[in-house]
Amino acid sequence: MAGRAKAKDEEIEEHQRSAAEQLARLTVGSGLTARSLEVFVSVARASTMSAAAEQLGMTQPAVSQLISQMETALNFQLFDRSKRPLTLTLHGAALIEPARAIVSGIERFEQALQWDLGGQMPLLRIGMLNSFAETIGPSVFTELRKSAAQLTIGSGFSATRMRAVADRELDFVITSDESPLLPGVTMAPILTEPFLIVAPESYEGDPRAIKPLSETLDLIRFGRDPFMHSRFDQTLRAWGISPTHHYHLDTHAAVLEMVASGVGWTILPPLAVFRAITRGDRFRVAPYPETSMKRVMMVIAREGEGTQIVRTIHAAATKALKSKVLPVLRQHLPEIAAMMMLHDYVKRE
């Protein structure tokens, strides 16, 4: 096992060296390479050929030769060699900032190559449901920071659709989008959870009896998913219920505030009420009577890309659910907790 791991590490190192050497030979202009620009920037920063050579792990003659080759190709001098320390000529001063930009861009490119071989990715763009972000999101963020130098997190309806991944607007999406799986994307389920009827604590009836509940209080709708709203409307109509709904809010926190104030009732999944439960907010809660109505929370990615990131998200989310969320729900809503199901990670090729 140790031998295979060592061989794999050596293979990765060799791949990285090869990639770096290819970038160093990259031609960026007539007679110029990425390596020569790197040397130019280093000499300008260090002000001596010998200091630049030490920083770059080169010999001083090799550095001097590259600078001379650049000057021959450009047909003008980059440094005034009559000065000590070296100073840039007018032409050299004009080129130093563009050269720094090219060298910096190549360094970021190398970092991206290394991420694919186990290093750190410069940027990850992730769409995430609010209920996920507010409950187990911090645990996932902590793990993802090991894989990415920078994270951008989007929420809201458009940022939590698989279409955002298919169109490459985002790299990964954590969602419950029930749209048919699009070509070129794959999904890894994390959690299946039921829906809940949430009524004010002041409501004296049984929240399981939706008809009298809907005749007494307004239904406060959450979110902008037309498919999900259509499914709820179908089941309600099947039971002869046509609830009034004067309120439609985009955050579950706002919906729960309205419910707590006695304005109406709502339908939400357990993760959406978790924070309210931990704060000690009191509601009348019951499972939605149509047990087939469930929400599957999943990670959406592009096929053949980011498998390790998907695995990281899945593992961190599952661990947080087991250690932080489910114990609280078992204490306060044991019937609901028993209806929640965690999914094992299965790699999809």
Side-chain angles (χ1 to χ4, degrees), residues 221-300:
R221 289 193 182 276
F222 161 71
R224 300 289 171 181
D225 187 339
F227 184 73
M228 185 59 68
H229 289 316
S230 176
R231 287 183 62 194
F232 282 125
D233 288 343
Q234 288 176 11
T235 58
L236 292 172
R237 284 196 299 268
W239 298 327
I241 300 171
S242 298
T244 55
H245 47 272
H246 299 123
Y247 308 98
H248 196 148
L249 305 174
D250 286 335
T251 68
H252 50 78
V255 170
L256 289 172
E257 286 291 333
M258 296 284 282
V259 173
S261 68
V263 172
W265 65 285
T266 192
I267 305 169
L268 289 174
L271 276 192
V273 301
F274 177 78
R275 289 192 68 192
I277 292 172
T278 58
R279 288 195 306 265
D281 296 352
R282 300 180 66 86
F283 300 97
R284 303 290 305 283
V285 178
Y288 192 71
E290 178 51 67
T291 57
S292 66
M293 291 288 291
K294 299 180 185 295
R295 182 174 82 158
V296 180
M297 188 167 289
M298 67 195 86
V299 186
I300 300 294

Side-chain angles (χ1 to χ4, degrees), residues 20 23-24 26 34-35 37-39 41-42 45 56 99-115 120-122:
L23 284 172
L26 179 67
R35 184 60 166 172
L37 288 184
E38 182 184 14
V39 169
V41 170
S42 295
R45 181 171 56 242
L56 294 167
R100 283 176 179 150
I102 293 172
V103 171
S104 176
I106 290 174
E107 287 175 351
R108 291 196 298 273
F109 190 82
E110 285 181 316
Q111 290 173 0
L113 287 175
Q114 290 168 3
W115 165 75
Q120 200 176 50
M121 190 176 186

Side-chain angles (χ1 to χ4, degrees), residues 58-291:
M58 300 172 63
T59 64
Q60 188 273 334
V63 168
S64 180
Q65 182 181 14
L66 275 175
I67 294 297
S68 295
Q69 288 174 353
M70 283 186 66
E71 291 176 331
T72 298
L74 295 170
N75 200 30
F76 54 73
Q77 282 195 317
L78 296 169
F79 295 97
D80 183 349
R81 289 170 174 75
S82 68
K83 306 288 185 181
R84 290 292 183 272
L86 294 177
T87 59
L88 289 164
T89 63
L90 188 62
H91 281 116
L95 291 178
I96 190 63
E97 287 305 322
R100 283 176 179 150
I102 293 172
V103 171
S104 176
I106 290 174
E107 287 175 351
R108 291 196 298 273
F109 190 82
E110 285 181 316
Q111 290 173 0
L113 287 175
Q114 290 168 3
W115 165 75
D116 194 41
L117 298 169
Q120 200 176 50
M121 190 176 186
L123 172 66
L124 275 181
R125 304 167 302 161
I126 301 178
M128 189 175 294
L129 292 169
N130 279 326
S131 57
F132 184 98
E134 293 178 358
T135 53
I136 54 182
S139 298
V140 174
F141 301 153
T142 299
E143 292 301 314
L144 288 177
R145 284 303 304 271
K146 300 174 184 178
S147 302
Q150 182 181 352
L151 297 173
T152 62
I153 308 298
S155 60
F157 182 72
S158 61
T160 54
R161 314 304 288 174
M162 69 176 69
R163 171 59 64 185
V165 172
D167 292 344
R168 294 189 177 271
E169 296 171 359
L170 295 170
D171 301 311
F172 303 92
V173 164
I174 301 168
T175 183
S176 58
D177 186 357
E178 295 193 359
S179 304
L181 201 62
L182 294 170
V185 303
T186 185
M187 59 84 75
I190 300 172
L191 169 72
T192 295
E193 56 182 341
F195 281 95
L196 312 176
I197 299 169
V198 186
E201 185 184 20
S202 58
Y203 180 67
E204 297 180 353
D206 183 354
R208 297 171 189 265
I210 299 183
K211 190 172 181 63
L213 174 65
S214 64
E215 291 171 347
T216 305
L217 297 171
D218 284 347
L219 170 61
I220 302 174
R221 289 193 182 276
F222 161 71
R224 300 289 171 181
D225 187 339
F227 184 73
M228 185 59 68
H229 289 316
S230 176
R231 287 183 62 194
F232 282 125
D233 288 343
Q234 288 176 11
T235 58
L236 292 172
R237 284 196 299 268
W239 298 327
I241 300 171
S242 298
T244 55
H245 47 272
H246 299 123
Y247 308 98
H248 196 148
L249 305 174
D250 286 335
T251 68
H252 50 78
V255 170
L256 289 172
E257 286 291 333
M258 296 284 282
V259 173
S261 68
V263 172
W265 65 285
T266 192
I267 305 169
L268 289 174
L271 276 192
V273 301
F274 177 78
R275 289 192 68 192
I277 292 172
T278 58
R279 288 195 306 265
D281 296 352
R282 300 180 66 86
F283 300 97
R284 303 290 305 283
V285 178
Y288 192 71
E290 178 51 67
T291 57

